[in-house]
Amino acid sequence: MEVLLLGTGAADGWPNPFCTCPSCADAAARGEIRGQTAALVDDVLLLDCGPEAPRAALRHGRTLAGVRHVLLTHSHPDHLGPQALLFRSWAATDSEIEVIGPVDALDQCRDWIAPTDPVRFVPVAAGDVLTVGEYRVRVLPAAHRVLADGDSVLYDVQGPGGDRMLWACDTGPLPVEWFDRVAGAEYDAVFLEETFGDRMDLGCAHHTLPAFGETVRILRACGAVTERTDVVAVHLGHHNPPLEQLRIRLAACGARAGDDGEVTTVGSATGKVAAAQRTLVLGGVRSGKSRHAEELLESFPAVTYVATGGTRDGDAEWAERVALHRARRPQSWTTVETDDVAAVLRGADEPLLIDCLGTWLTARLDRHDVWSGGDVTAVEADVEQLLEAWRSCAVPVVAVSNEVGSGVVPATASGRLFRDLLGRLNARVAAESESVTLVVAGIPTRLR
């Protein structure tokens, strides 16, 4: 199945057009404007159809002329824009369309069609199993309601090739017995709503970030999610942290944030998201790169800060730099001073911040006495070990490094050697990272 995400935002989208919170401001500055969540499957099946969905399809280069089935989860207005049926009647078409959903959602559609319109309504409730064109659809209960219990549902959709996906939008945390319904499903993709972010005071009709992680954990435990399942967070809103932080948080549970307009081939997205998100933050001296890296991880309760520079006896200026860095980090963070970064990466069980690769490289050059004419082969072996550990790290990790390729050519041979080695190291770490950011004058620019 080909799934086009027409939108990945909450009811108010993201950013909320009336809001200036840091999360909305960040999204607006990036130009990442998310519309209401909906999806188009194989150009024939529409998953939810809020008022923004038809126009979103056109913006993403698709037509809805081939849609023959609409699966509605519930009648909240961001999921149901019944006027789309009227617009369809204005086009020259005589093909029938099925509108499938809870009874009250279908009732809101009836006034938008003429008696002769080729529209067939199929009311469903949790527990139903039906054939929808070439698809097998199971209707599952949702922990969500419009006016009464049971008026919101989720969909388990199996394609003609056997590929299978779960459309779980909207729902809050689900009861333990719910997972018996999907045990052993081994979904190829799961689209799971995550609306409330870190807001714990908004009720249980939607997932918070911690609740999302717990739902994914149980889905894994019951065999609904496997290592090859693409777990995609949708229905995202501004109660979440800014997007880069959110991506790292989601990666910690093996999930990723969906993007408006992205196309996923369900059944071929094996290993699409790693168990942990690797992020490289580059920048010049005093560019704000370390502060930005700290901000990316600030919403985690515990982080290990890996200081690769160590201590320098008798260097008061260096001691002041270290003290300033420590003062702005949360007290819950743990500091480890070492240049054996590969060992820390291999043994980590909580998120890591490595600051920085430039001082790590300097320490390895010192250790192998390269400045006095030693062979760089040993340093290159250290780089290989670092990269191997970076690739296999099982927790979110952010590394800071100096961007050294934009200045003048160093006047000394040792300066040129260091610049060349660090430039190559940065490039190789970037190639193994899901996210790369360049910070200039305190302003982060996302490169990947």
Side-chain angles (χ1 to χ4, degrees):
M1 289 183 287
E2 180 199 76
V3 180
L4 166 64
L5 289 177
L6 300 176
T8 57
D12 53 346
W14 186 20
N16 179 310
F18 299 95
C19 185
T20 58
C21 75
S23 182
C24 285
D26 175 78
R30 292 172 176 274
E32 300 208 24
I33 313 301
R34 295 169 188 268
Q36 297 163 346
T37 294
L40 180 62
V41 179
D42 296 334
D43 289 329
V44 300
L45 189 147
L46 196 56
L47 293 168
D48 282 322
C49 183
E52 297 179 351
R55 195 60 57 183
L58 295 175
R59 281 197 298 271
H60 300 315
R62 299 295 179 94
T63 173
L64 299 183
V67 170
R68 298 294 177 262
H69 320 281
V70 180
L71 297 181
L72 300 172
T73 55
H74 60 296
S75 62
H76 276 148
D78 57 314
H79 295 262
L80 174 58
Q83 62 270 29
L85 295 173
L86 176 64
F87 304 155
R88 184 177 187 269
S89 73
W90 295 345
T93 179
D94 56 2
S95 58
E96 184 180 75
I97 187 170
E98 283 186 315
V99 182
I100 302 163
V103 171
D104 71 317
L106 301 187
D107 287 345
Q108 293 192 32
C109 297
R110 297 184 190 278
D111 289 341
W112 292 89
I113 65 168
T116 58
D117 284 348
V119 177
R120 184 163 70 95
F121 293 117
V122 182
V124 295
D128 291 346
V129 179
L130 59 157
T131 299
V132 179
E134 296 183 313
Y135 305 87
R136 178 182 180 272
V137 175
R138 285 204 310 154
V139 186
L140 302 171
H144 193 77
R145 57 181 290 178
V146 182
L147 296 174
D149 291 342
D151 62 7
S152 299
V153 298
L154 312 176
Y155 291 108
D156 174 339
V157 181
Q158 187 166 5
D163 38 335
R164 193 172 176 185
M165 61 175 281
L166 174 63
W167 182 256
C169 186
D170 290 348
T171 184
L174 295 152
V176 173
E177 60 272 16
W178 183 92
F179 295 92
D180 294 337
R181 299 170 182 259
V182 298
E186 298 185 351
Y187 289 112
D188 295 292
V190 169
F191 298 90
L192 179 62
E193 74 99 41
E194 193 285 289
T195 309
F196 285 161
D198 287 315
R199 288 291 299 273
M200 306 299 168
D201 58 337
L202 298 176
C204 57
H206 294 284
H207 279 99
T208 61
L209 265 168
F212 179 94
E214 178 63 8
T215 294
V216 173
R217 185 192 69 78
I218 302 174
L219 287 170
R220 291 188 190 282
C222 75
V225 166
T226 69
E227 290 304 313
R228 59 182 294 278
T229 305
D230 190 16
V231 181
V232 185
V234 293
H235 210 265
L236 302 166
H238 71 144
H239 298 308
N240 282 287
L243 187 58
E244 279 198 73
Q245 293 183 34
L246 176 61
R247 286 192 171 110
I248 294 171
R249 293 278 294 278
L250 290 172
C253 65
R256 64 183 181 87
D259 292 314
D260 286 26
E262 77 162 80
V263 176
T264 295
T265 302
V266 173
S268 68
T270 56
K272 186 167 185 176
V273 65
Q277 168 118 353
R278 288 160 286 270
T279 300
L280 175 63
V281 178
L282 299 166
V285 175
R286 296 299 192 190
S287 62
K289 60 186 184 298
S290 293
R291 183 177 293 277
H292 176 68
E294 292 163 8
E295 290 172 351
L296 291 179
L297 294 172
E298 66 184 1
S299 60
F300 283 97
V303 173
T304 297
Y305 182 95
V306 185
T308 63
T311 58
R312 301 182 184 180
D313 294 338
D315 191 333
E317 189 271 339
W318 181 260
E320 182 180 358
R321 283 174 179 256
V322 171
L324 288 172
H325 273 254
R326 284 180 173 169
R328 72 175 184 232
R329 297 198 294 267
Q331 292 185 348
S332 61
W333 288 21
T334 302
T335 299
V336 174
E337 294 182 351
T338 180
D339 65 350
D340 192 356
V341 174
V344 176
L345 286 165
R346 286 191 290 264
D349 58 5
E350 65 183 24
L352 298 175
L353 195 162
I354 300 168
D355 196 358
C356 73
L357 296 182
T359 52
W360 174 83
L361 179 62
T362 300
R364 307 318 287 183
L365 291 166
D366 288 343
R367 180 182 294 269
H368 298 298
D369 198 27
V370 173
W371 307 119
S372 300
D375 191 352
V376 298
T377 303
V379 176
E380 291 170 346
D382 291 341
V383 169
E384 294 300 330
Q385 290 184 23
L386 175 71
L387 289 168
E388 181 181 357
W390 178 262
R391 282 190 293 267
S392 61
C393 185
V395 300
V397 55
V398 177
V400 178
S401 191
N402 303 96
E403 174 49 54
V404 292
S406 301
V408 298
V409 177
T412 64
S414 59
R416 292 191 291 274
L417 173 65
F418 177 78
R419 182 200 61 173
D420 292 348
L421 290 175
L422 184 56
R424 287 197 288 268
L425 174 61
N426 288 344
R428 296 190 67 187
V429 172
E432 302 289 350
S433 302
E434 288 80 22
S435 179
V436 182
T437 296
L438 175 66
V439 182
V440 179
I443 300 171
T445 299
R446 193 163 187 238
L447 305 181
R448 171 179 299 156

